[in-house]
Amino acid sequence: MSIQDIIEGKKQWRAHVARVKALPPDYQIVYKEMQKYLFKVGPVSLPGESLLPGIVDFFEEGVAAGKGVLELIGTDVAAFCDGLIKDSPTYADVYRQAIGGEPGAAGK
């Protein structure tokens, strides 16, 4: 990765953050919770590296349509996020495989 790639990545991230800050406050709160959840759950690779910008696109469309954020995603942020990454392996999956299998198998 070159310095130019790093600089371009930072520019893209700053533009992304500016788009999030332009959303209404309730959308910003939900976006930040989704981002926190996704970073915690940790999909190994965000699908096409466009998951977060895709969420902002979705939210911008909701704002333009005059919908509230909960009308778009429902009341369970985690379930909505899980639906977005359902086919993506997570770091928890990788860790589970590395230690030998199924959850709860360590005590057996």
Side-chain angles (χ1 to χ4, degrees):
M1 180 179 281
S2 71
I3 296 292
Q4 194 63 28
D5 292 338
I6 294 170
I7 291 170
E8 185 59 33
K10 283 189 173 191
K11 284 181 184 177
Q12 290 175 355
W13 182 252
R14 286 184 182 132
H16 173 78
V17 169
R19 288 177 63 202
V20 172
K21 288 182 179 179
L23 293 169
D26 57 337
Y27 277 84
Q28 287 182 42
I29 291 167
V30 171
Y31 174 84
K32 288 176 185 173
E33 289 303 314
M34 290 174 74
Q35 182 184 35
K36 206 181 328 180
Y37 181 81
L38 290 168
F39 286 168
K40 187 178 194 178
V41 169
V44 174
S45 106
L46 296 176
E49 298 300 325
S50 63
L51 181 62
L52 294 176
I55 292 169
V56 176
D57 292 340
F58 180 60
F59 281 4
E60 288 172 340
E61 291 171 11
V63 170
K67 294 184 177 183
V69 68
L70 297 181
E71 288 179 73
L72 296 176
I73 69 162
T75 57
D76 190 343
V77 173
F80 182 81
C81 291
D82 287 341
L84 294 175
I85 61 170
K86 68 180 175 197
D87 296 328
S88 302
T90 64
Y91 285 112
D93 296 332
V94 172
Y95 178 72
R96 192 174 305 121
Q97 289 174 350
I99 61 171
E102 302 175 21
K108 294 182 180 178

